Amino acid sequence: MFIDRPRRPLLPNHSIPETTDNTTSGDTPDGSDFLSNHGGKIALVGFSFAAALVYRWFIGGRNRTDLEEEITLKSPLHPYESNDLRIRNSMTCLQFHDFAKKCREKFPDGLASYDEFVQFFQHQKMYALTDGYVIDRVVLDYLKASSSRGVMARRTRFPMSFFLVALSNAVNVPPDDRMNMLFEVAKSMTIEELDFSCDLCSGNVKVSTGDISRIYDGDDNDRLYCEQGKVEALVGYLVGACQIPYEKMIQESGVYYPFKLYRKKSASEMVTQGIASMKPPPHQIGHLSVDEFSELLASSSVCVW
């Protein structure tokens, strides 16, 4: 039925040439091969490094929080108590200045026991304090921490400027008047008070008097400026009287490895940092005018209440 046709001859069987591998054993594999072979290890290293950073940050923050809690728990006065004390009293700046002036006349060296200070205040009959026990608590806690006599510390002669700073908690006046009031307290400090000054914030460190504590007779500096050493002593008293926020009393310790650690600042460090941040800087090195004093106490380094 079909016509035979000549069959087409089959093509010769050619084998498929093998692909030659030009890669020698010494060649470096490309990036895709490296990631495929070591991607898990890289991810593990990255995750471990990130976890270490988070843990280091957590420990550093915990160290600061623990330090703040320690200061808070040891504080004899809470912020709301300070506000309530001022609200419940209406002592004026004039009354405070008059009493401070009489104290300087009564105790010319600036030193008095707390019992003597309280008796002298009551004898003046110029003002009846409300909730005066709050001031007692603050003062006695500071005295006990600064003296080895314990409960008998209230009979130890102590810088009267601290008692006045504690009493200023009961003066309810605008911030500008309060700054002027504290400026007069600092400016009136005696050499004996500066020699006695202790800074609880730095662990009972003496404030250096040196050249900055000299007295100017008839000079304008005596009336218009306050020596930096006196300002440092006053800031130390503000710390002891619980009139500076706790977070302002803490700074980095300089230890960053393996964890960042924090420590309490001294009054001298607060003042030095506050002056360094002032723009423009103080007119006279080592002395502050009342405006510069107010700017310092209101700065982020001090931030007095």
Side-chain angles (χ1 to χ4, degrees):
M1 293 176 60
F2 300 98
I3 301 175
D4 292 337
R5 296 179 181 178
R7 296 180 178 180
R8 185 171 53 186
L10 297 176
L11 296 175
N13 187 14
H14 296 285
S15 62
I16 301 175
E18 296 182 358
T19 304
T20 59
D21 187 5
N22 295 327
T23 305
T24 60
S25 59
D27 293 340
T28 303
D30 57 12
S32 60
D33 291 339
F34 179 80
L35 291 177
S36 63
N37 293 332
H38 304 285
K41 298 178 182 178
I42 295 175
L44 180 61
V45 171
F47 177 79
S48 301
F49 182 73
L53 289 179
V54 172
Y55 181 72
R56 180 176 179 271
W57 171 82
F58 172 78
I59 294 298
R62 183 63 180 272
N63 176 257
R64 181 184 178 94
T65 301
D66 291 344
L67 189 56
E68 288 184 0
E69 291 181 355
E70 177 186 353
I71 297 175
T72 303
L73 292 176
K74 290 183 178 180
S75 175
L77 181 69
H78 294 282
Y80 74 88
E81 289 183 299
S82 180
N83 293 332
D84 289 345
L85 183 63
R86 294 178 187 176
I87 293 174
R88 295 174 183 176
N89 288 275
S90 57
M91 191 176 186
T92 65
C93 274
L94 182 58
Q95 290 174 321
F96 182 87
H97 283 305
D98 288 343
F99 177 68
K101 182 178 179 180
K102 293 178 180 178
C103 284
R104 297 297 178 187
E105 295 173 354
K106 175 68 174 179
F107 309 102
D109 60 353
L111 302 178
S113 68
Y114 186 56
D115 285 344
E116 292 173 334
F117 180 82
V118 172
Q119 291 173 5
F120 184 70
F121 180 83
Q122 294 173 343
H123 178 72
Q124 297 302 310
K125 298 181 181 179
M126 56 184 300
Y127 185 79
L129 282 178
T130 302
D131 294 343
Y133 65 90
V134 176
I135 298 178
D136 291 340
R137 187 203 312 157
V138 172
V139 172
L140 294 178
D141 182 83
Y142 185 86
L143 295 182
K144 291 177 183 178
S146 305
S147 174
S148 59
R149 299 188 61 185
V151 295
M152 299 299 294
R154 62 182 303 148
R155 299 180 184 177
T156 303
R157 287 171 61 80
F158 205 79
M160 188 174 52
S161 295
F162 171 68
F163 302 146
L164 292 173
V165 169
L167 180 63
S168 69
N169 250 332
V171 183
N172 190 13
V173 294
D176 290 342
D177 292 339
R178 176 167 169 74
M179 296 298 183
N180 292 333
M181 185 175 62
L182 293 175
F183 181 77
E184 291 298 327
V185 172
K187 194 175 64 172
S188 302
M189 287 186 188
T190 64
I191 299 296
E192 290 80 6
E193 286 183 283
L194 287 176
D195 289 338
F196 200 96
S197 294
C198 296
D199 182 6
L200 274 186
C201 190
S202 61
N204 295 341
V205 175
K206 289 266 186 173
V207 176
S208 175
T209 55
D211 293 336
I212 58 179
S213 65
R214 51 199 177 102
I215 302 298
Y216 295 88
D217 294 329
D219 198 318
D220 288 341
N221 289 331
D222 192 28
R223 295 181 290 104
L224 302 179
Y225 292 89
C226 181
E227 295 85 2
Q228 184 175 334
K230 295 181 178 181
V231 177
E232 293 176 2
L234 180 81
V235 172
Y237 294 148
L238 289 170
V239 171
C242 308
Q243 297 185 33
I244 291 182
Y246 309 132
E247 61 270 16
K248 302 301 179 182
M249 301 163 56
I250 297 175
Q251 72 173 7
E252 296 178 358
S253 65
V255 177
Y256 301 100
Y257 183 83
F259 306 111
K260 182 186 292 187
L261 301 180
Y262 295 83
R263 64 174 178 84
K264 290 186 285 187
K265 287 194 292 187
S266 67
S268 178
E269 289 172 327
M270 290 183 185
V271 173
T272 302
Q273 294 171 9
I275 292 177
S277 65
M278 293 172 61
K279 304 295 181 182
H283 181 67
Q284 292 194 24
I285 299 177
H287 297 79
L288 297 175
S289 66
V290 62
D291 293 335
E292 294 165 346
F293 176 85
S294 300
E295 181 181 352
L296 171 66
L297 293 193
S299 67
S300 60
S301 299
V302 181
C303 194
V304 65
W305 281 334

